Amino acid sequence: MTGHRLEVADVFHAHQDQFVQRWGHALSDQQRKVLRDIGLCRTAALGTHLERCDRCSYETMAYDSCRNRHRPKCQSSARDRWLLKQAASLLPVPYVHAVFTVPEQLGPLALRNQRLFYSMLFRAASETLLKIAADPRHLGARIGILAVLHTWSQNLQFHPHLHCLIPAGGLAPDNSRWIATKRQGFFLPVRVLSRMFRGKLLSFLKQSYRRGELCFPGKLTSFSAARVFYSLLGSLRRKEWVVYSKPPFGGPEHVLKYLARYTHRVAISNGRLISLKNGRVRFRWRDSRHNNRSSTMRLEATEFIRRFLLHVLPAGFVKIRHFGLLANRNRHGALDLCRAHLGSATIDPGALLDQQQQSALNRSCPQCRSGTLHVIAPSFAGQRAGTTPMICAARIDSS
């Protein structure tokens, strides 16, 4: 692949047939769709379209994108459009980045109950933050939260966790003033956050079990017995769970960089890939068990694809959610009130994006630099490679 930057799609193109032979029977509907979309993205199979500059004679034919949210290359423009929209909601205060993780013992249960478990994870983390922040012993204010779900570790193993971005302060209960955090180090006490989060998530799991909402297929069958399931919850209640919180940092410009880094990320970016040779993928990763030491990992291409597909989200699942002051139903009024107390005006979203992001959003012409590219001809769809009916089967959660 000389002269070409290696992409996840290249691995799929070269080895998806071998992968399907090994794991095709175990693919879910969504995993099969992602496998197909990434394999066909920006190829003649999805069609092409003609783009023309409105200032000069420049024209170009381009392959259509699959726009699948799990493909690294299809996320940059979606991310920049989302960032432009979110910039208008930022406040001129420091922000806090907090991460909520769950013990690895819950991984298999989470993987087989993704929609239910991920929703409980969002609920447990948001309720924990809102309740502790409202406590006068800590902050005594109503806060806003932006939470993003990630399901992977650096080596592509299954590791569900939430990244939360929170303004370091909030509105007084009677809306009379803005209350800034008094803590120089951390926004809210991490141990208190961890223990309340643990209690809430275990409580939600117990409620779901009693209502018969949890599935226990395959190797999880033994956990369907009440004695085994409650024993698991009891052992997890005795463990300290990991909640990580950074000290308050920066303002809107820094926050956008954080958002760009976490919101539209997929399991692995193309930039981390090093080589694809002899059926093995080599990529960079950080080993969290050894102080985030940078290293390289080699995986069989079929194993790389299997791990990548572990992180395909259920159809229609919303992985970026807002709570408290930032909840959709009251965001505009709450933000206006916050700005009034802070004595600040609405931030110009465009001013926070860098030149490259602005150029991508504006579809700038690469020839004259002043014009804008427009699609002037519809897609000319090619013949899709043989697609097969999608099936729902066991997930590919073990090698």
Side-chain angles (χ1 to χ4, degrees):
M1 299 184 181
T2 304
H4 171 73
R5 179 181 175 180
L6 183 63
E7 299 181 6
V8 170
D10 296 320
V11 182
F12 278 49
H13 290 152
H15 296 280
Q16 66 179 10
D17 289 343
Q18 298 150 267
F19 174 80
V20 170
Q21 289 177 6
R22 174 69 180 87
W23 291 107
H25 67 284
L27 292 177
S28 70
D29 289 359
Q30 282 302 105
Q31 289 169 331
R32 191 176 292 274
K33 183 177 186 302
V34 170
L35 183 66
R36 182 189 65 207
D37 285 352
I38 292 180
L40 297 179
C41 188
R42 300 181 191 272
T43 69
L46 290 188
T48 59
H49 59 271
L50 178 65
E51 296 180 349
R52 178 181 296 165
C53 176
D54 58 9
R55 290 285 186 89
C56 68
S57 60
Y58 180 80
E59 289 185 352
T60 183
M61 291 291 291
Y63 287 125
D64 289 342
S65 165
C66 69
R67 297 186 181 181
N68 194 300
R69 63 175 171 172
H70 297 93
R71 184 172 190 258
K73 200 168 185 177
C74 292
Q75 290 303 294
S76 58
S77 58
R79 177 200 63 205
D80 292 340
R81 287 193 297 271
W82 185 86
L83 286 175
L84 187 63
K85 181 178 179 180
Q86 295 301 311
S89 299
L90 297 177
L91 295 171
V93 298
Y95 277 69
V96 174
H97 178 205
V99 184
F100 290 80
T101 65
V102 297
E104 61 183 0
Q105 291 92 330
L106 286 176
L109 186 65
L111 191 58
R112 295 304 184 99
N113 297 270
Q114 292 186 49
R115 189 181 297 276
L116 178 62
F117 187 89
Y118 296 158
S119 296
M120 288 190 289
L121 182 57
F122 273 111
R123 182 183 172 193
S126 62
E127 288 186 6
T128 295
L129 286 167
L130 292 171
K131 185 171 183 178
I132 294 178
D135 189 330
R137 293 173 297 176
H138 300 301
L139 184 64
R142 295 191 297 125
I143 61 171
I145 307 163
L146 184 153
V148 185
L149 172 68
H150 284 185
T151 64
W152 55 86
S153 62
Q154 278 274 307
N155 59 5
L156 299 185
Q157 296 286 22
F158 188 68
H159 175 56
H161 55 284
L162 283 186
H163 291 273
C164 299
L165 203 62
I166 314 147
L171 283 176
D174 61 358
N175 293 331
S176 63
R177 61 193 177 96
W178 173 266
I179 301 177
T181 179
K182 303 178 181 66
R183 290 175 171 264
Q184 296 300 315
F186 297 103
F187 176 48
L188 295 171
V190 174
R191 178 161 292 188
V192 177
L193 289 173
S194 173
R195 293 181 176 178
M196 182 176 289
F197 170 65
R198 177 186 63 189
K200 284 184 174 292
L201 187 55
L202 292 179
S203 175
F204 297 155
L205 284 169
K206 185 181 294 186
Q207 293 170 17
S208 293
Y209 178 80
R210 289 173 175 170
R211 290 194 291 259
E213 297 171 342
L214 293 171
C215 298
F216 299 93
K219 297 178 181 179
L220 290 175
T221 302
S222 62
F223 289 96
S224 62
R227 178 181 59 82
V228 179
F229 183 75
Y230 289 130
S231 176
L232 171 65
L233 297 192
S235 67
L236 294 175
R237 191 175 295 277
R238 291 188 293 271
K239 291 173 62 73
E240 290 291 345
W241 290 24
V242 178
V243 173
Y244 175 73
S245 178
K246 290 186 176 181
F249 67 92
E253 298 84 355
H254 296 88
V255 172
L256 274 190
K257 291 179 181 178
Y258 262 72
L259 290 176
R261 185 183 305 171
Y262 290 104
T263 54
H264 288 68
R265 182 181 287 182
V266 298
I268 187 169
S269 65
N270 290 328
R272 286 175 54 199
L273 302 182
I274 299 173
S275 66
L276 173 61
K277 295 179 181 178
N278 302 320
R280 297 177 70 86
V281 181
R282 190 161 66 98
F283 61 92
R284 301 179 186 86
W285 74 297
R286 286 182 289 103
D287 188 352
S288 61
R289 296 182 185 272
H290 295 88
N291 298 317
N292 282 327
R293 182 181 62 190
S294 296
S295 185
T296 61
M297 178 170 288
R298 289 179 177 83
L299 292 177
E300 293 289 339
T302 52
E303 173 62 9
F304 176 88
I305 296 174
R306 186 193 73 83
R307 292 192 188 187
F308 185 93
L309 293 179
L310 288 177
H311 310 293
V312 171
L313 297 175
F317 188 84
V318 180
K319 73 170 188 176
I320 306 173
R321 303 189 182 187
H322 299 80
F323 302 94
L325 298 178
L326 298 180
N328 293 331
R329 64 181 178 275
N330 60 5
R331 181 187 308 172
H332 295 298
L335 288 175
D336 287 344
L337 188 56
C338 291
R339 292 192 182 98
H341 290 312
L342 291 167
S344 66
T346 302
I347 297 170
D348 176 16
L352 298 178
L353 299 184
D354 60 35
Q355 186 173 357
Q356 183 178 0
Q357 291 171 325
Q358 288 282 12
S359 179
L361 284 175
N362 296 333
R363 301 285 292 133
S364 299
C365 173
Q367 179 170 283
C368 69
R369 307 289 183 182
S370 60
T372 301
L373 294 180
H374 296 276
V375 177
I376 64 168
S379 297
F380 302 99
Q383 182 65 38
R384 283 200 173 214
T387 55
T388 56
M390 291 188 286
I391 59 174
C392 184
R395 295 201 178 270
I396 48 176
D397 57 350
S398 61
S399 55

